[in-house]
Amino acid sequence: MTDIHINVSGHVQGVGFRYFTQMKAREYQIAGWVRNKDNGTVEVYASGREKDLAMFLSCLKRGNRFSKVEKVTVAPLNSDKRYYDFVIKS
């Protein structure tokens, strides 16, 4: 399993982006979480197989039909914490 930290910026809050992210994560069997940050970005912790993460990231870069993704940054993580589902954090 590979763990990554993702930050998504643009018009991504108030447009259902977290729910879109959760739906895509479950579609690609990604575990982890998503949450809005105070600075207007969306933060994602994702854990899964590399090919599934690549497809998941591709979806996040496009966003849903209400969002306008401007930038996606990805950083690898070394974490001992394991998630078994994908949740929306408040």
Side-chain angles (χ1 to χ4, degrees), residues 43-90:
E43 179 180 26
V44 181
Y45 172 91
S47 178
R49 295 180 302 195
E50 285 191 35
K51 72 175 191 164
D52 295 327
L53 287 169
M55 294 169 71
F56 174 66
L57 275 170
S58 177
C59 293
L60 295 188
K61 289 176 182 177
R62 285 192 309 271
N64 66 6
R65 63 183 173 152
F66 304 110
S67 64
K68 183 176 185 331
V69 176
E70 293 177 1
K71 184 177 180 184
V72 176
T73 58
V74 180
L77 285 175
N78 291 322
S79 177
D80 293 331
K81 189 159 187 171
R82 287 289 155 231
Y83 293 91
Y84 299 97
D85 193 9
F86 195 92
V87 297
I88 297 172
K89 287 186 169 186
S90 48

